[in-house]
Each structure stands twice: as structure tokens, then as C-alpha cells.
Amino acid sequence: MYTIKTIEWKNDKVVMLDQRLLPEQEIYNTYDDYASLAKAIENLTVRGAPAIGVAAAMGMALGALGISAKNFDDFFKKLETVRERLARTRPTAVNLFWALERMKRVTLENKTLSIPELQECLKEEAIKIYHEDIEANRTLGKHGATLLKDGMQVLTHCNAGALATAGFGTALGVIYAAQEEGKRIHVYSDETRPVLQGSRLTAWELQKHGVEVTVICDNMAGTLMQQKKIDCCIVGADRIAANGDVVNKIGTYSVAVLAKHHGIPFYVAAPLSTIDVKMKSGKEIPIEERNIREVTHIKDQMIAPSHVDVFNPAFDCTPNELVTAIITEKGISRSPFQEPFSK
Amino acid sequence: MYTIKTIEWKNDKVVMLDQRLLPEQEIYNTYDDYASLAKAIENLTVRGAPAIGVAAAMGMALGALGISAKNFDDFFKKLETVRERLARTRPTAVNLFWALERMKRVTLENKTLSIPELQECLKEEAIKIYHEDIEANRTLGKHGATLLKDGMQVLTHCNAGALATAGFGTALGVIYAAQEEGKRIHVYSDETRPVLQGSRLTAWELQKHGVEVTVICDNMAGTLMQQKKIDCCIVGADRIAANGDVVNKIGTYSVAVLAKHHGIPFYVAAPLSTIDVKMKSGKEIPIEERNIREVTHIKDQMIAPSHVDVFNPAFDCTPNELVTAIITEKGISRSPFQEPFSK
């Protein structure tokens, strides 16, 4: 299977595929300080909740390596600055905060180590998070693949693939796992305005993996469902509340409503690190609003009048009653979702 | 009120605003032969079902003026070539065929006239169709405005405004009529991928008319409805079947399903020339599929991988059960729609 190297730890540096340039150019950027990595999370060089989590952990490791400190308290204080900077990058994906908290906890648990040992320990933890993410993806992919039959036509929204994770993918991980089992799946990929993760990223990585893909504009999903061309929908998630409400890329909610109207199963695939048990419902989850230029321009091409008012939420919330099942590395949980909806 | 000159008959030529260049440039093209006008309909220089109807009628008049014939039969034969060329431009908007048939009927009804008199007669008929369209828009606008209250927030999709008609507009005509009555209406305009008639055209003309407008990506309409920010939806139509099924710009169906799910009224505004009584249901109406480059590129900017498969239907069909009311120049008809759903 083709391997996409979304993010890697290499010689004490972080190497990431610049997703802003896809599909035209495949360029890998190298980061040796946490501040430039934080910027790369903000500007969508790397995106996708699980990938953001891994990037944040590696950012903490980069930050730790860059600290010169006389003692643990000094080190911890400086590392807190790193953590706070990384925490300010994106508000919605919980994997970011989950990874930062885990790195902080590991730091506190190892306060008796020397500074060089602690730096090494944090580096290892970041790499461990990376491997765990791929492992979780592969496991949830296998669980999810049991829902797919040979010849099915699947609608996906945004990119919840290898590019959104340390590798393999969540929603697309389910497709890849089905493909590995010899099932032929045809994917319809919503282009996913405004950042076009569907047409630029999902179509690109499905092509690389030899999966049949058809790109559609977001507003064409309904007509495909009406024509009975969609057997199920599978999307990823940026944060899932304890009650199973799913916050994911803007437009996911519309797909879920359309699926409900047409009696089509709507599945969400995400690692457990995406579940935020502190959030009782999706209503509590902060929704990032991004720069209106994402809507008014495609690169330098103006596609709306100057000074027009624009609403540009990056995510929306799909209530649990529209979610047929949530696929995690623990298995498939169906509505009504029990806290923490695990097997 | 600001007047947008979408299409005009001027000194035996047709002048049309080049809608492909909006909102960046406001350029008017002049056509003195039917073949170049036919091309302008195909390439979306002019679009919107009622405007296409007027353009087709004026194309017939231009064609008639260009004919040199010895007798009526010769003239009619040559005019049939003109009609057939214009009929091949766009398959879905019925106003095109309605206007062409009307021009043909007028020709046959006036076969006793001299060729110059017949040419003059066809020119007058085209100008009459132009004026009737504006009049129908104004009348249906007034009927539709009774559905709107001061302070309402209205979602629209694509452009069913002055730019889609000889002037004034259908869906936006309802907004303008409400505005003339002193009601303040806030419009949310779906950008309407792939050709972006919502962000490029609707936002532009609403700004020109001093109507508050917020542009959103098509996939954001659901989240606005969920947040109770939409009081009703108003769209135009490219063809309406005898049972009230509405064929309109791709994405209209999704808006209608979302509106139904949220209990929001979904209105369609169109002149009677958009109703095709020969079509028993929307299923019989041909749906144009357009070049995939509309989806894969924004001007020269590539936004999908090379050689990717794309589905690009220009229209979809909203079944009558999702349509709360149809607004025509005869008044407001509510579901279930009686043939020909008139007062």
C-alpha cells in the first residue's frame, strides 16, 4: 500500500507535507522550532484532528529540545510557554489539547530525570503518540470495514485520510481497510468548501491508493442520494462530545441531515483521542471561525464582491440522533451512545 | 432603485452584461448576429432562465434581421436554422424553448407580411417579451413580498435576480419588492458552486441595491438553519413541472431538504413562462451536465488532481412535497399544486 508521509520525526526535526500546495505540488517542510510548527498548524500546512494532535506533541518535543534550563522548575516553566503557544493554534480539534495535556503529564511524571533525559523522554512520547495514532487508525479501519460491502458507493466530506492523521486515516482508513480485504469501494468526495480538502486532499490520496473517486461540489451530495447512488456516508471528527454529538468540518451536518432524509447510514470514524468526555454535548464545543478570505478568494482569484459580509465557520455540530454509528479503535458504537460509547 | 441592464435591445443589436467577469469587471458585450449570441448563452455570459428566454427571443430577432429571402417559405426555412441553433444552447431552462416557440408562432401568424415587415414584427415581439418579463417579475415580487416581514433573514441559492431576468428578478425580485415596501431583509447568499452565481452575482447585485447580504459556502446553510438564523428560503427555477416539482440550480434540492428538516418555509419564485405543463413531473425534465473544468478549476487555478473523475450536473429536481409555495405573477400557490397552479 502507498504510504503518505503526512508528518514525521526525523533527526530531531519535524518534517511535514505542505497540504496547502496539494494537489499541484508535493513539498515537504522541515521544522526545527516549535514556533514555526505552531504557525504551520494555524495556516493549515498540517490539518485534520489526529494529525494536529501528533503535530502538537512533536511541537512540544521540539520545544523541549530547545530549552536550556538549570532545573526542573525552570524547564517546566519554559515548556509551559511552549504548550500555551501550541494551544492557541486551533480551538476546535480536541486531539490538540489531548496531546498537549499528555505531554505535560509525562513531563510532571518524570520530574526526577535530568534535563537531557527529560528531553529524550518527551521526544519518545511524541513518537509514541505518532505510532499509537497509526495503530488506532488501522484498528478502527478494520472495525469500520465490516460495515462495507464489495461494490458500495460511499460519500465522504473533507479529508479524514492519511493526510489528516499520522498515517492511514480514519474515515478513509475504513475505506483502505475494506480495500485491503479485497472489497471494491467507490468514493464520492465532497470538495468541501472553502478550503477544498475534499477535492485537493481526499481525491489526491484516494488516487494514490488506487481507490476509485469522483469529486462533487458539496451541494451535489443531495442529488446523488436522491438518485440512490450513495450507500453510506463516512466522515471523521474534530471533537466528539460524551453524548455522541460530532463536531466536524463545516458541511458535515448538512450531509447528516440529507442522509437521514434518504434513510442512508451516517458513520463517524475517529480515534478515542477525539472524544472529549468533559463536553456533555456538542453545543459546548467551541467552533473556530476563520478568515473570510478563504471564502472570497481562491488563491489570488476574487470570487465575491469587495467588502462583502461573509460567515465562515470552520466546523459544525451534528447531533447524535443523526449519527448511525461511531467507529473507534474499540469497535462500533451505535446510537444511543453510552458514555464513553465503548465496547 | 438601481437598475441593472442585464440584456437590452439597442439599435438593432443586443447588449448584454458579461456575467462571467462579475464581480471584478462590469463589461457589456454587443451582439449583432445570432450565432455569437447563441455562444454567449452557452458560455454563461448570460444565464438565469428568464434572461435566457429573453436572449433567445432577441437572438431570433437578430437572426431574422440577418436573413435575406425571396419569399416567406424561404424566410421561414432560414429562421428555422436560427431557432434550431438557439435551441441547442442549454437544455434545462424551459424559458428558452418557450421564447423560441413564441417567436416561431408569431412568424407563422404573420406570413402574409412582407419580409421587412416580418423582421420588424419579430423585433417588436422580442422587445415585448423583454418588457413582459420585467412586468411579470414586478408583479410576482409584490405577491411574494406579502410572505416577508420586516427584519426577516432569507436564504437564497444561485442568482434569481435582476441578472437572471430582463430586470428586477424573481427570488430577489421578492426581496426588492419587500424593500420597496420599507421592510428590511437580510439575505444569506449561498455561493453556489461550481459557477459561484451566489457570491459573484447575487452578492454583487444585492450590494448595488443596498440590501444587506452575507455570503456563505453552500455547506454552511444547514448550520445557519440549526442556529435559527434563517426565516425562509426563496429560490428561482429553471423549469417547473405541472405537478410543482422544481428544477433549479444544483444544490437547491439540498436547501429544500434542510429547510424541511428545520421546519423553514421553502418558496420558489418564477414567471409562468418557467412552468412546463407538458412535463407531468420533474423526473421528465432533462438535467444539463457541464464541463468538469467548472469543478476542477477556478479560472486557471487547479483545485483538484489531474484526471480525477467529476460529476457536474448543473441542476437538480426538488419534489413538490418540499416546496411550501410557488410565487408567480398570478399569485401564491401552495402545495398540493393544482395544474397549472394558478389563482
Side-chain angles (χ1 to χ4, degrees):
Chain A
M1 183 171 157
Y2 182 87
T3 304
I4 288 170
K5 296 189 188 312
T6 304
I7 180 166
E8 278 191 300
W9 184 272
K10 232 179 191 172
N11 307 322
D12 288 351
K13 293 186 177 73
V14 177
V15 180
M16 298 197 299
L17 176 54
D18 191 337
Q19 301 195 29
R20 300 168 304 171
L21 306 178
L22 289 174
E24 281 193 296
Q25 298 175 73
E26 196 174 332
I27 305 281
Y28 295 83
N29 300 337
T30 302
Y31 302 87
D32 57 8
D33 69 301
Y34 77 90
S36 58
L37 186 73
K39 213 157 204 156
I41 297 174
E42 276 168 354
N43 69 23
L44 310 186
T45 299
V46 64
R47 28 65 51 202
I52 290 172
V54 173
M58 290 187 177
M60 284 287 275
L62 278 185
L65 290 180
I67 291 172
S68 97
K70 355 182 226 307
N71 55 40
F72 177 80
D73 286 347
D74 186 24
F75 178 84
F76 185 71
K77 202 180 131 195
K78 286 172 174 161
L79 191 63
E80 277 293 275
T81 313
V82 173
R83 192 181 59 78
E84 283 157 15
R85 170 67 189 96
L86 288 162
R88 279 197 307 274
T89 51
R90 305 281 310 269
T92 302
V94 75
N95 313 60
L96 176 82
F97 306 103
W98 170 87
L100 294 176
E101 282 305 315
R102 178 162 155 181
M103 294 297 278
K104 180 180 173 179
R105 198 180 65 237
V106 166
T107 311
L108 290 169
E109 282 168 3
N110 291 281
K111 52 164 64 179
T112 55
L113 295 181
S114 70
I115 303 295
E117 283 169 338
L118 199 47
Q119 289 170 321
E120 189 61 23
C121 167
L122 287 169
K123 184 173 112 181
E124 279 168 17
E125 191 69 16
I127 293 168
K128 199 171 156 200
I129 288 174
Y130 164 87
H131 285 296
E132 283 176 10
D133 185 60
I134 295 177
E135 193 51 36
N137 285 193
R138 288 210 155 261
T139 309
L140 77 82
K142 271 184 199 150
H143 289 304
T146 62
L147 298 166
L148 300 186
K149 292 197 190 97
D150 183 43
M152 270 195 172
Q153 308 204 95
V154 176
L155 178 73
T156 192
H157 187 75
C158 195
N159 174 268
L163 288 168
T165 60
F168 203 65
T170 53
L172 299 191
V174 172
I175 307 285
Y176 298 143
Q179 185 190 34
E180 285 178 350
E181 293 170 6
K183 296 171 187 165
R184 203 177 40 82
I185 306 294
H186 186 103
V187 177
Y188 283 96
S189 174
D190 276 352
E191 65 174 6
T192 317
R193 282 282 291 151
V195 183
L196 299 163
Q197 292 92 340
S199 53
R200 293 192 305 105
L201 310 181
T202 293
W204 181 83
E205 73 162 272
L206 288 174
Q207 279 191 333
K208 291 268 184 193
H209 286 95
V211 176
E212 273 181 37
V213 56
T214 301
V215 171
I216 58 169
C217 295
D218 300 314
N219 63 27
M220 296 168 186
T223 204
L224 280 175
M225 293 185 189
Q226 193 184 30
Q227 293 169 19
K228 303 193 189 307
K229 285 187 181 150
I230 304 295
D231 295 304
C232 71
C233 308
I234 312 181
V235 300
D238 290 82
R239 196 182 307 203
I240 304 177
N243 68 346
D245 288 353
V246 173
V247 168
N248 189 44
K249 180 56 54 200
I250 187 71
T252 302
Y253 173 64
S254 296
V255 172
V257 170
L258 286 165
K260 185 79 166 185
H261 182 81
H262 294 88
I264 295 169
F266 179 84
Y267 302 125
V268 176
L272 293 167
S273 56
T274 303
I275 301 169
D276 185 353
V277 291
K278 291 195 300 293
M279 298 288 164
K280 281 188 192 134
S281 86
K283 289 194 188 92
E284 299 169 34
I285 298 173
I287 301 289
E288 177 182 8
E289 284 194 36
R290 293 186 61 87
N291 195 300
I292 67 164
R293 201 183 154 92
E294 288 183 353
V295 176
T296 59
H297 289 71
I298 301 267
K299 296 227 169 148
D300 292 330
Q301 182 59 48
M302 182 171 122
I303 54 172
S306 310
H307 315 301
V308 76
D309 184 50
V310 170
F311 175 55
N312 185 25
F315 305 97
D316 60 26
C317 178
T318 300
N320 55 17
E321 67 264 23
L322 298 179
V323 180
T324 310
I326 297 176
I327 307 157
T328 71
E329 60 270 44
K330 281 204 191 170
I332 296 164
S333 307
R334 290 184 183 268
S335 178
F337 300 99
Q338 306 295 324
E339 199 175 335
F341 41 95
S342 53
K343 298 279 123 182
Chain B
M1 184 171 157
Y2 182 87
T3 304
I4 289 171
K5 297 189 190 309
T6 304
I7 180 166
E8 277 191 300
W9 184 272
K10 231 178 190 172
N11 307 320
D12 289 351
K13 293 186 177 75
V14 177
V15 180
M16 299 196 299
L17 176 54
D18 190 337
Q19 301 195 28
R20 299 167 305 171
L21 306 178
L22 289 174
E24 281 193 296
Q25 297 175 73
E26 196 174 331
I27 305 283
Y28 295 82
N29 301 337
T30 303
Y31 302 87
D32 57 8
D33 69 300
Y34 78 91
S36 59
L37 185 72
K39 213 157 202 155
I41 297 174
E42 276 168 354
N43 69 23
L44 310 185
T45 299
V46 65
R47 29 64 53 202
I52 289 172
V54 173
M58 290 186 178
M60 283 286 276
L62 278 186
L65 289 180
I67 291 172
S68 98
K70 352 181 229 308
N71 54 39
F72 177 80
D73 287 347
D74 186 24
F75 177 85
F76 184 71
K77 202 179 131 195
K78 285 172 173 162
L79 192 62
E80 277 294 276
T81 311
V82 173
R83 192 182 59 78
E84 283 157 15
R85 170 67 189 96
L86 288 162
R88 277 197 309 274
T89 51
R90 304 279 314 268
T92 303
V94 75
N95 313 59
L96 175 82
F97 307 102
W98 169 87
L100 294 176
E101 282 305 315
R102 177 162 155 180
M103 294 296 280
K104 180 180 172 178
R105 197 180 65 237
V106 166
T107 310
L108 290 170
E109 283 167 2
N110 290 281
K111 52 164 66 178
T112 56
L113 295 181
S114 70
I115 303 296
E117 283 169 337
L118 197 49
Q119 288 169 322
E120 189 61 26
C121 168
L122 287 170
K123 184 174 113 180
E124 279 169 17
E125 191 68 17
I127 294 168
K128 199 173 157 199
I129 288 175
Y130 164 89
H131 286 295
E132 282 175 10
D133 186 61
I134 295 177
E135 194 52 36
N137 286 193
R138 289 209 155 263
T139 309
L140 77 83
K142 271 185 198 149
H143 289 304
T146 62
L147 299 166
L148 300 185
K149 292 197 189 95
D150 183 43
M152 269 196 173
Q153 308 203 94
V154 177
L155 177 73
T156 192
H157 187 75
C158 194
N159 174 269
L163 289 168
T165 60
F168 203 66
T170 53
L172 299 190
V174 172
I175 307 286
Y176 298 142
Q179 185 191 35
E180 284 178 351
E181 293 170 5
K183 296 172 186 164
R184 202 177 41 82
I185 306 294
H186 186 103
V187 177
Y188 283 97
S189 174
D190 276 352
E191 65 175 5
T192 317
R193 282 282 290 150
V195 183
L196 299 162
Q197 293 93 338
S199 54
R200 292 192 307 105
L201 309 180
T202 293
W204 180 83
E205 73 162 271
L206 288 173
Q207 278 191 334
K208 291 268 182 192
H209 285 96
V211 176
E212 275 181 36
V213 57
T214 301
V215 171
I216 58 169
C217 296
D218 301 314
N219 63 27
M220 296 169 185
T223 204
L224 281 174
M225 292 185 189
Q226 193 185 30
Q227 293 169 20
K228 302 191 190 307
K229 285 186 182 151
I230 303 295
D231 296 304
C232 71
C233 308
I234 312 182
V235 300
D238 290 81
R239 194 181 309 200
I240 304 178
N243 68 346
D245 288 353
V246 173
V247 168
N248 190 43
K249 181 55 54 199
I250 186 70
T252 301
Y253 173 64
S254 296
V255 172
V257 170
L258 286 164
K260 184 79 166 185
H261 182 82
H262 294 89
I264 296 168
F266 179 84
Y267 302 124
V268 176
L272 293 167
S273 55
T274 304
I275 301 169
D276 185 353
V277 291
K278 291 194 299 294
M279 299 287 164
K280 282 190 189 132
S281 87
K283 289 194 188 92
E284 299 169 33
I285 298 174
I287 301 289
E288 176 182 9
E289 284 194 37
R290 293 186 60 86
N291 196 301
I292 67 164
R293 201 184 154 93
E294 288 183 353
V295 176
T296 59
H297 289 72
I298 301 268
K299 296 223 169 152
D300 292 330
Q301 182 60 48
M302 183 171 121
I303 55 172
S306 310
H307 314 300
V308 76
D309 184 50
V310 170
F311 175 55
N312 185 24
F315 305 96
D316 60 26
C317 178
T318 300
N320 55 17
E321 68 263 23
L322 298 179
V323 179
T324 311
I326 297 175
I327 307 156
T328 71
E329 61 270 43
K330 282 204 191 169
I332 297 164
S333 307
R334 291 184 181 268
S335 177
F337 300 99
Q338 305 297 324
E339 199 176 336
F341 40 95
S342 53
K343 298 279 123 184

